[in-house]
Amino acid sequence: MTEQYKDESSGISRRHFVKATSALVATPLFYHAAARACTHHTAPTEGVSPNNERVVPTCSTFDCGGKCDIRAHVADGVVTRITTRPDDELDLDMPIMRACVRGRSYRKFVYHPDRLKYPMKRVGKRGEGKFERISWDEATTLIADNLKRITAKYGPASRYVHVGTAVSGGTFSGDAMVRRLLNLTGGYLPYYHSVSMGNTAAATPYTYGVAASGSSLDTLLDTKLVILWGHNTTETIFGHSNHYFQQMKNNGTRFIVVDPRYSDTASSLADQWIPLRPSTDNALMDAMMYVIVSENLHDKAFIDRYAIGFDEDTMPEGVPANESLVAYLMGAKDGIKKTPEWAEPITHVPAQTIRQLARDYANTKPAALIQGWGPQRHNCGERTARGSTLLATITGNVGVKGGWAAGYGGIGNRKFTTGPDMPDNPVPAKISVMNWVQAADDASKVTPQDGLTGAEKLTSNIRILFSLAGNYLANQNPDINHTIKVLEDESKIEFIVASDLYLTPSARYADLLLPESSFMERWNIGETWGTGNYLLLSEKLIDSPFEARSDYEWLREVAAKLGVEKAFSQGRDEKAWIEHIWEASRKALPDENLPSFADLQIQRRHLFKSKPYVAFEDNIRDPQNHPFATPSGKIEIFSKRLYDMQHPEIPALSHYVPAHEGPEDVLATKYPLQLITWKGKNRANSTQYANPWLQEVQTQKLWINPLDAEKRGIAQGDSVRIHNDRGISMVPAEVTQRIMPGVVAMQAGAWWQPDANGVDHGGCANVLSSSRITALAKGNSHQTMLVEVAKA
Ligand SMILES: Nc1nc2c(c(=O)[nH]1)N[C@H]1C(S)=C(S)[C@@H](COP(=O)(O)OP(=O)(O)OC[C@H]3O[C@@H](n4cnc5c(=O)[nH]c(N)nc54)[C@H](O)[C@@H]3O)O[C@H]1N2
Ligand SMILES: Nc1nc2c(c(=O)[nH]1)N[C@H]1C(S)=C(S)[C@@H](COP(=O)(O)OP(=O)(O)OC[C@H]3O[C@@H](n4cnc5c(=O)[nH]c(N)nc54)[C@H](O)[C@@H]3O)O[C@H]1N2
Ligand SMILES: [Mo]
C-alpha cells in the first residue's frame, strides 16, 4: 500500500493527465466507461464495475468555494482514478458541479511521497524545521502534559486554536473537536472574524440590519445585466455560480467585470472588463451614484419607501445639515462634485466608461451587482462592501427577483448540519483573529480598541496553540516576517501543536507535528458554500498510510490522558459521530426529509428542496410587518450608528476615503506599485501547493503590465524582486496586459520559502502584506500593500 505514496505509481502519467484534462474541456462526454456502466444515468449511487472497481461519488472537505461532484474509482483499497459527474447523468434538479482541476488532482495530494508519515517532535530551534520521529503514545502524552502544565500556570485563556480552514468544508473536523475538548476542560481563547469575508459581514448590517444578503442564483436566470465586482467565480466557484452563470451567458445576460486583473472570469464571461486601481472602488461607486442621481435615473419611489439618508429630507434626528448622500455627491460640504471626471484620476477608469456603467446599471431593470470578497479583503474593505449596497438601494435592486442586494453573503440563516455538540466555552474574552500575534507576544497590549471583546484585558499570553489543518502561522497570515519573530521566541508561546499532511512553512514552527489522514481516509459530510444547497457524503475510501491518523483519534487519546475521554467522545468513533450529526440534523430540519444515514450511504447526497430565495423579499413586499433590522427599520444609506462612531475610515455614508497604503498614500512615492493577490484555480489557498499536477497548471509569477515592466527593464520571465519595508519576495515576471498599469498581482497561497537572508523565493505575498486592522471589523486587509519591483 505504501507503494502508492511513491511518485506516479498508479493510474495515468502526468502528461496524460494534462491531455485528458484539456480533452475534457473540449469533449465533455469523455469519462470512464466503467463509471457510465454503473451510474444508471440518474442519481449518483455507488457502482461496481466488472474489474471490481467501485466508483464512489464523494467530495473533499477543503475550503475551496465549490463542493464538486467527484467520483473516486477504488480498487483493492487504492483510489486509482478520479472522474466527475458524467454529463449524461440525468438529474435535472442537481446543479452540475463538475470536478475542476483541483478535484481531478486529488490523488496526487493523497498519494504523495512527501506526506507526513509519523508524529514528530521538534529537535532544532523553533522554525528550523528539524524534527525527530516519536510514537503516538509519546505525542499524546506530550500534549496532555503541556495542557495540564500550561493551564495550571496560566489559566485556560492561554489556550488558543488557530485558523485552519482546510477542513471547514466538512461537518466534522479535528479543528472542531479540539475546541470541544478544550471546552470540556476549562475553555480556550477564541477568535472571531472571518479572514474570508469578515469585513463585508461587519459592514453590510449597517445598511440592511443583517449580514446574510445573498439570494439563490436561480433567481438571476432572467437578469439582463450582471456586474461581477471583484468577483472571480470562474476560479473561486462560490457554490453554484458557474452552473448558473454559464446558463445565463448562453441566454444572453450581459456580464461586466470590475477588477484590476483580467481574471479568468473576465476572459470566460465578460462582455466588458473595467479595470480600476485596487482600493478605489468607492470612488467609482460615488461617481456612478453621481451620474445616476444627476441624470434622474435613481428609483425615487423605492428610495422614498424603503430607505433613509438619501437626501436631506430623510435624515435621522440629531445630524447636522449636508450629511445625506445627495449632499455628499453634489459637494454640499466639500465643494467637490463626485463626477466621473473627479473619479477618473483616482480610479484610472475613463470618465465616459463610468458614465456608461452607471447608466447601464440604472437603466437595466433588474440588474445584479455582485461583489466578491477580494475588494473587501482590503483596508477599506468595509467601505467598499457597504458602497455596493448603496448602489443597489438607489437603483431599487434590493428584495427584487433578478436584482441583488450586494454584499455577498449566505442565504438567510440557512443551516445545513448541526456539527458536533459543542459545550459552552467558559472563557469570556474573545480576540479578533488579527490580535493573535500580539496576544502571543504581550497580551496586556491587546485592547478593546484593537478588537478584544468580552473582557477589558486578557489574563494571559497565548501559551499553547493548536493549528490543525491551517497554514496560518507563517504563510497565509499577513506580515510573516514580524510574526516569526514572535513564534521563534520560545519563551512566548510555549507549545505549538500542528497537524497537516505536509511539512508546510507553518508546520515548521510546530513543537509537535502530527500527520493527519486525508479526507479520503475519513468519514465526513461535505457542505456547500453560500448559495449552494446540497450535502455530499464523503466516505472513508482508503486506509491512512504509515502512521497518519485522524485528529479525532489522537484527541481521544489526549482526552483519556486528561481523564475526560467518556465525556469527550461519548463513546463514538469518527463514523459514529458523523451518523450522530446526521441524525441530529435530520431532527433539526424536519421539513427537509433528510434520508436516514443508511440511505445516505446509498444516495450519497441530499439536495435541499429550496425554493428560489430573494434576500429581503419580505421586507420589500410588506415593509410594515417586516421592517429591516436596522434602528430605523429601513435601509440605511446614511447610518447614524456609524456617524456616532466618528471614525474617518468608516464614514456614515460609505464613500471614497483614500486607503492606507492605497495609491494616494505618501508611501506610494517610495513604493509606487499596488500588489494584490487572487485565489487561483490550482489551489485552495495553500492547500495542494505540493501537488505536482497542479504545479503544472500554473506557475507562481508576478503579473506586471508591459508599461511598468519596460520602465524597470523587466522582460518576460525575468526574475524580479518585489519589496517593501516588510519583506522581499522573488519570482519570475509574467509581463501581461491582464493586469492594469500601476498594479501587480501574485496568486495567493504559494509556500513561503525564505533563504538565509529572509528573502522569499516562493512568491508568498504575505511577506509583503500588512497586519493593519480594519476600522469596524478589526479585521484583515491582506490585499492592501504598496511595493516596488526591480529586475533581480
Ligand atoms: N480556486 C480557488 N477557489 C477558491 C479559493 C482558492 O484558494 N482557490 N479560496 C476560497 C476561499 S477560502 C475564499 S475566502 C474565496 C475568496 O473569494 P474572493 O475573495 O472573491 O477571491 P479573490 O481572488 O481574493 O478576489 C476576487 C477578485 O477580486 C479582485 N480584486 C482584488 N482587489 C480588488 C479591488 O480593490 N477592487 C476590485 N474591484 N477587485 C479587486 C482580484 O483581482 C480577484 O480577481 O474563494 C474560495 N474559492
Ligand atoms: N495574501 C493573501 N493571504 C491570504 C488570503 C489572500 O487572499 N491573500 N486569503 C485568506 C483566506 S480568505 C483564507 S480562508 C486563509 C486560508 O488559510 P489557511 O486556513 O491556513 O488555509 P490553507 O492555506 O489552505 O492551509 C490549510 C492547510 O491544511 C492542510 N490540510 C489539508 N487537508 C487537511 C486535513 O485533512 N487535515 C489536516 N490536518 N490538514 C489538512 C493543507 O495541507 C494546508 O497546509 O488564507 C488567508 N490568506
Ligand atoms: Mo477564505
Side-chain angles (χ1 to χ4, degrees):
M1 183 264 292
T2 49
E3 270 306 293
Q4 293 300 322
Y5 297 86
K6 297 197 178 134
D7 242 344
E8 300 301 339
S9 57
S10 70
I12 30 183
S13 76
R14 266 212 231 173
R15 266 187 49 238
H16 278 117
F17 169 75
V18 174
K19 267 208 263 169
T21 319
S22 35
L24 276 162
V25 176
T27 42
L29 282 179
F30 172 91
Y31 67 96
H32 199 284
R36 191 198 304 245
C38 57
T39 52
H40 310 297
H41 310 261
T42 53
T45 50
E46 179 191 325
V48 179
S49 70
N51 59 353
N52 258 346
E53 182 184 66
R54 294 167 66 216
V55 183
V56 188
T58 186
C59 67
S60 85
T61 48
F62 295 155
D63 190 24
C64 63
K67 193 61 42 205
C68 300
D69 184 342
I70 67 167
R71 308 290 161 92
H73 298 232
V74 193
D76 302 326
V78 173
V79 175
T80 55
R81 182 149 203 250
I82 295 212
T83 54
T84 190
R85 167 180 166 159
D87 273 11
D88 62 350
E89 184 178 285
L90 292 179
D91 189 352
L92 296 178
D93 293 335
M94 186 70 181
I96 297 172
M97 295 293 290
R98 313 187 79 230
C100 75
V101 69
R102 300 188 299 283
R104 295 206 172 254
S105 306
Y106 283 156
R107 273 188 340 103
K108 289 287 155 186
F109 174 79
V110 170
Y111 297 121
H112 192 296
D114 293 349
R115 259 188 76 173
L116 297 175
K117 300 175 179 64
Y118 312 103
M120 293 191 292
K121 184 174 86 174
R122 170 169 70 84
V123 287
K125 285 208 200 98
R126 192 184 275 157
E128 242 177 17
K130 289 198 188 130
F131 293 94
E132 146 191 302
R133 179 178 171 183
I134 57 171
S135 70
W136 273 110
D137 185 47
E138 283 172 275
T140 52
T141 301
L142 266 174
I143 301 173
D145 288 353
N146 273 291
L147 270 174
K148 282 189 221 157
R149 179 183 64 78
I150 289 173
T151 312
K153 191 163 171 196
Y154 303 107
S158 66
R159 317 194 298 185
Y160 181 70
V161 183
H162 206 21
V163 179
T165 61
V167 286
S168 64
T171 188
F172 187 83
S173 63
D175 178 68
M177 292 309 272
V178 72
R179 293 168 206 271
R180 178 177 161 82
L181 177 61
L182 294 178
N183 283 349
L184 285 169
T185 56
Y188 66 98
L189 178 66
Y191 70 79
Y192 65 88
H193 185 79
S194 153
V195 297
S196 303
M197 42 70 86
N199 292 326
T200 290
T204 48
Y206 286 88
T207 307
Y208 299 128
V210 293
S213 46
S215 301
S216 59
L217 294 176
D218 52 4
T219 63
L220 293 180
L221 285 168
D222 299 323
T223 300
K224 300 267 177 306
L225 172 67
V226 171
I227 303 175
L228 296 175
W229 196 296
H231 204 13
N232 181 21
T233 50
T234 299
E235 288 191 271
T236 57
I237 303 186
F238 273 72
H240 302 152
S241 53
N242 290 345
H243 174 82
Y244 286 105
F245 290 172
Q246 286 301 337
Q247 273 185 54
M248 287 154 62
K249 182 77 189 161
N250 289 340
N251 293 342
T253 301
R254 189 164 166 241
F255 282 88
I256 299 176
V257 168
V258 180
D259 197 310
R261 290 184 321 117
Y262 190 72
S263 64
D264 283 12
T265 303
S267 66
S268 59
L269 284 178
D271 296 280
Q272 187 182 4
W273 170 44
I274 301 181
L276 91 171
R277 292 204 292 182
S279 79
T280 68
D281 301 68
N282 280 100
L284 176 57
M285 293 171 182
D286 290 350
M288 285 172 72
M289 290 195 277
Y290 176 88
V291 173
I292 291 169
V293 172
S294 58
E295 296 186 3
N296 214 12
L297 304 177
H298 54 290
D299 189 334
K300 197 167 179 315
F302 185 93
I303 298 167
D304 285 348
R305 183 144 190 230
Y306 301 110
I308 64 156
F310 177 72
D311 56 25
E312 294 295 307
D313 298 339
T314 58
M315 290 294 282
E317 296 274 301
V319 180
N322 294 330
E323 294 290 343
S324 66
L325 178 65
V326 171
Y328 166 76
L329 296 174
M330 299 306 154
K333 250 172 54 183
D334 59 6
I336 300 168
K337 288 197 159 80
K338 309 306 176 298
T339 62
E341 284 70 19
W342 163 81
E344 178 174 321
I346 302 173
T347 57
H348 288 190
V349 182
Q352 197 46 35
T353 305
I354 301 177
R355 220 166 245 117
Q356 195 58 47
L357 176 65
R359 289 173 188 155
D360 287 350
Y361 180 53
N363 284 327
T364 315
K365 301 265 176 206
L369 188 167
I370 310 179
Q371 200 179 101
W373 298 344
Q376 62 86 60
R377 211 171 293 108
H378 271 286
N379 246 212
C380 55
E382 294 154 336
R383 301 196 287 280
T384 310
R386 216 172 87 76
S388 57
T389 66
L390 271 45
L391 268 166
T393 300
I394 69 165
T395 52
N397 276 306
V398 179
V400 174
K401 180 167 177 286
W404 196 264
Y408 184 99
I411 296 182
N413 293 319
R414 191 163 65 187
K415 228 174 152 200
F416 288 122
T417 64
T418 57
D421 316 1
M422 198 57 72
D424 287 341
N425 182 355
V427 172
K430 263 192 184 182
I431 56 172
S432 154
V433 71
M434 295 302 291
N435 302 144
W436 76 275
V437 178
Q438 185 66 69
D441 187 19
D442 180 357
S444 71
K445 296 212 179 100
V446 179
T447 65
Q449 270 108 310
D450 306 323
L452 176 63
T453 64
E456 281 302 306
K457 273 177 122 158
L458 287 174
T459 50
S460 164
N461 282 12
I462 293 172
R463 296 292 180 181
I464 181 166
L465 181 149
F466 292 87
S467 169
L468 311 185
N471 191 3
Y472 212 86
L473 288 170
N475 211 86
Q476 294 304 100
N477 51 304
D479 201 356
I480 295 177
N481 288 320
H482 170 65
T483 310
I484 56 163
K485 284 195 199 109
V486 177
L487 292 176
E488 281 165 6
D489 183 344
E490 292 166 28
S491 75
K492 303 280 182 189
I493 308 179
E494 296 182 7
F495 197 61
I496 299 179
V497 182
S499 86
D500 205 297
L501 278 70
Y502 291 90
L503 181 57
T504 65
S506 295
R508 296 173 78 87
Y509 285 85
D511 298 311
L512 186 63
L513 179 53
L514 306 173
E516 195 175 20
S517 49
S518 75
F519 67 89
M520 287 190 185
E521 296 147 23
R522 305 192 296 260
W523 286 89
N524 218 328
I525 310 281
E527 307 200 358
T528 43
W529 266 40
T531 53
N533 63 343
Y534 55 87
L535 299 168
L536 296 174
L537 179 66
S538 177
E539 119 167 23
K540 178 179 188 304
L541 300 169
I542 51 176
D543 290 329
S544 295
F546 301 95
E547 291 188 10
R549 268 179 163 194
S550 132
D551 283 348
Y552 176 60
E553 275 176 59
W554 63 257
L555 281 164
R556 258 183 111 166
E557 272 182 32
V558 173
K561 290 176 183 178
L562 295 173
V564 294
E565 201 283 329
K566 269 217 178 78
F568 173 65
S569 74
Q570 298 186 342
R572 295 189 192 100
D573 64 11
E574 198 153 44
K575 188 176 178 193
W577 268 106
I578 302 303
E579 180 162 4
H580 167 73
I581 292 168
W582 184 261
E583 292 304 332
S585 307
R586 276 180 86 190
K587 277 202 202 99
L589 299 167
D591 300 340
E592 268 299 334
N593 262 330
L594 296 183
S596 69
F597 190 66
D599 285 345
L600 178 70
Q601 287 173 67
I602 299 164
Q603 294 177 22
R604 300 276 152 186
R605 69 175 184 221
H606 177 76
L607 179 68
F608 284 81
K609 296 185 298 293
S610 44
K611 290 198 210 85
Y613 174 83
V614 176
F616 307 120
E617 195 173 26
D618 290 346
N619 311 75
I620 296 304
R621 187 181 33 79
D622 180 7
Q624 249 60 51
N625 293 310
H626 299 275
F628 281 87
T630 53
S632 64
K634 295 201 167 187
I635 301 174
E636 300 201 340
I637 293 174
F638 176 96
S639 165
K640 176 80 167 35
R641 286 180 292 173
L642 292 177
Y643 182 80
D644 290 340
M645 289 179 203
Q646 289 293 317
H647 194 306
E649 289 185 40
I650 183 79
L653 288 170
S654 255
H655 59 70
Y656 178 64
V657 178
H660 181 85
E661 269 196 64
E664 295 192 53
D665 194 312
V666 285
L667 193 65
T669 50
K670 188 172 173 198
Y671 299 119
L673 296 169
Q674 290 183 271
L675 170 63
I676 53 170
T677 60
W678 82 95
K679 316 262 193 183
K681 55 182 152 287
N682 61 342
R683 297 193 278 272
N685 300 301
S686 73
T687 293
Q688 301 217 68
Y689 175 78
N691 188 318
W693 285 358
L694 293 176
Q695 287 183 344
E696 245 178 77
V697 169
Q698 201 154 264
T699 323
Q700 189 70 6
K701 287 186 185 165
L702 180 80
W703 286 19
I704 183 166
N705 186 275
L707 289 174
D708 293 318
E710 202 188 326
K711 261 189 236 162
R712 293 165 176 81
I714 296 166
Q716 188 67 274
D718 279 354
S719 175
V720 292
R721 181 177 183 276
I722 316 154
H723 67 282
N724 63 17
D725 289 342
R726 289 179 291 266
I728 304 170
S729 180
M730 289 178 49
V731 282
E734 171 78 20
V735 180
T736 171
Q737 302 208 9
R738 291 184 67 173
I739 187 80
M740 69 186 293
V743 186
V744 288
M746 205 151 56
Q747 193 188 324
W751 278 4
W752 176 51
Q753 290 162 43
D755 62 20
N757 300 316
V759 174
D760 165 52
H761 293 264
C764 177
N766 287 326
V767 299
L768 301 153
S769 61
S770 155
S771 58
R772 188 174 195 272
I773 58 173
T774 55
L776 192 62
K778 315 294 180 198
N780 56 318
S781 49
H782 278 91
Q783 298 276 30
T784 329
M785 42 192 152
L786 289 170
V787 298
E788 180 53 294
V789 175
K791 195 173 157 169

